[in-house]
Amino acid sequence: MSKQRVLTGITTTGTPHLGNYVGAIRPAIAASQEENNQSFYFLADYHALIKCHDPEMVHQSTREIAATWLALGLNTDNVVFYRQSDIHQIPELTWLLTCMTAKGLMNRAHAYKAAVDANRDDGEDSDFGITMGLYSYPVLMAADILMFNANKVPVGKDQIQHIEMARDIAQRFNHHYGEHFALPEAIVDEQVSVLQGLDGRKMSKSYGNTIPLFLPEKKLKKHINKIKTNLLEPGEPKDPDTSTVFQIWQAFATPEQTAEMRQAFAEGIAWGEAKKQLFELINGQIGEARERYNELLENPAEIEAELEKGAEKARAYSAPFLEELRAAVGIRKIG
């Protein structure tokens, strides 16, 4: 039985935070150890250019995110871990797919429609500030997936549409040029936590409410102390199910630890004590990885070597496959 190909992209904007770790990195690293999967993980630096036009920020984020995955134990011998921009076949495939993609399909993309709606609400022209990168990035995402004929793509609910678009594009190409692409399936894990941030909203860089994953101990404690709580005093029972402190605790704790903290909330644990215990729990779990992360940042050549190793493995798939696709569309040697 052939292995299922599972593909995950990580956009290189910003510094990884606790929400990224719990929602994407931790389950993906666990999945990479499964024998029946062939896992592809890539740093989506072309995608980063859609939102971020600061070259130093894109470069720094690429380094930090690669170091994060390596520090947390991604086994690069067991997976294909690469930088998107190292696989030159991907942008070429993007063009082949663009020529088979209906404009109407792109018009329905959620991100594009949201940008148009925001412009209209602000009294601007519908296309104000909208680049072709934003408009057509579902095609680039389709190329990322189809380049390696991924069977499964773990995504959040907001990304399901993009996998459906990739299927649509693949089916259209297959119908026109013959069967070349597997049809990818979106995998949404309902058990994966979506962490709340400092202000109680979803933890997100766009809200500025994140807790960076590898903060030094003192800064981590300071961030955790900023988590918004209510005015209930020590001794007064507190509702764990409406508490950001408890929600983050639950994402890192064992079932036994979660039950103990739920009881502590019922008994009126002080917010300061709850935050102190949360800090100790998280710090205990990430301390060793934080040390490794800092070592990697101080030795960027080690990170680069891992990415180059991954790129070589990725190109072993992408180079011959693109030649097959070029021939299929009629781009081949004469005679």
Side-chain angles (χ1 to χ4, degrees), residues 89-329:
Q89 293 81 12
I90 289 173
E92 185 169 351
L93 176 57
T94 300
W95 182 249
L96 299 186
L97 297 179
T98 297
C99 294
M100 294 301 298
T101 301
K103 178 176 179 289
L105 186 66
M106 295 296 97
N107 290 343
R108 296 192 291 274
H110 295 325
Y112 169 65
K113 288 172 66 178
V116 169
D117 290 344
N119 279 337
R120 288 174 178 163
D121 290 345
D122 293 340
E124 297 282 0
D125 180 83
S126 295
D127 289 329
F128 176 76
I130 297 176
T131 65
M132 285 304 297
L134 173 65
Y135 181 72
S136 61
Y137 89 90
V139 187
L140 175 58
M141 187 167 171
D144 291 322
I145 297 165
L146 300 177
M147 185 83 261
F148 300 100
N149 268 328
N151 307 105
K152 297 180 179 179
V153 186
V155 291
K157 290 180 180 178
D158 60 330
Q159 292 288 317
I160 292 174
Q161 185 197 40
H162 292 130
I163 310 306
E164 292 172 346
M165 286 179 160
R167 288 177 65 92
D168 185 284
I169 295 166
Q171 285 175 314
R172 191 165 178 171
F173 190 100
N174 286 348
H175 176 74
H176 202 83
Y177 293 114
E179 294 293 321
H180 295 280
F181 296 122
L183 302 184
E185 177 187 355
I187 302 299
V188 180
D189 189 344
E190 301 290 350
Q191 304 303 313
V192 169
S193 301
V194 177
L195 280 199
Q196 294 170 10
L198 299 175
D199 57 3
R201 294 183 292 176
K202 173 187 173 182
M203 190 176 291
S204 170
K205 291 185 282 285
S206 56
Y207 293 148
N209 65 354
T210 66
I211 301 175
L213 179 58
F214 289 135
L215 284 174
E217 285 191 18
K218 288 183 179 179
K219 288 187 176 181
L220 176 61
K221 184 180 290 185
K222 190 174 180 181
H223 270 66
I224 289 173
N225 284 334
K226 289 180 184 177
I227 296 173
K228 186 178 179 181
T229 55
N230 57 36
L231 299 176
L232 291 173
E233 296 289 337
E236 294 185 85
K238 298 166 178 65
D239 181 7
D241 297 322
T242 60
S243 165
T244 299
V245 173
F246 184 82
Q247 196 248 5
I248 297 176
W249 173 274
Q250 194 170 24
F252 285 86
T254 64
E256 293 76 19
Q257 289 171 321
T258 298
E260 288 169 6
M261 183 58 79
R262 185 175 285 277
Q263 182 61 32
F265 267 63
E267 294 171 359
I269 187 172
W271 286 123
E273 176 61 23
K275 290 178 179 180
K276 175 175 174 287
Q277 291 188 31
L278 178 61
F279 161 74
E280 290 170 352
L281 177 70
I282 294 173
N283 194 56
Q285 289 189 26
I286 66 170
E288 189 176 330
R290 182 202 290 128
E291 287 185 27
R292 177 64 180 140
Y293 172 79
N294 289 327
E295 286 174 7
L296 285 163
L297 288 186
E298 290 173 9
N299 185 18
E302 185 176 348
I303 303 173
E304 184 63 28
E306 288 287 357
L307 291 175
E308 289 179 4
K309 179 178 80 173
E312 190 173 335
K313 288 163 71 173
R315 285 194 291 266
Y317 295 96
S318 64
F321 188 39
L322 186 68
E323 287 306 310
E324 174 189 321
L325 297 173
R326 285 167 61 98
V329 301

Side-chain angles (χ1 to χ4, degrees), residues 25-45:
I25 301 172
R26 187 172 65 185
I29 288 177
S32 74
Q33 305 301 333
E34 295 178 11
E35 290 291 325
N36 59 334
N37 286 342
Q38 184 178 20
S39 298
F40 292 75
Y41 298 106
F42 69 95
L43 303 173
D45 48 356

Side-chain angles (χ1 to χ4, degrees), residues 52-80:
C52 183
H53 300 146
D54 180 338
E56 289 308 312
M57 187 177 292
V58 171
H59 182 262
Q60 177 66 12
S61 179
T62 302
R63 188 170 70 158
E64 289 180 356
I65 292 173
T68 296
W69 282 73
L70 294 171
L72 288 166
L74 183 69
N75 182 353
T76 56
D77 292 330
N78 197 40
V79 303
V80 184

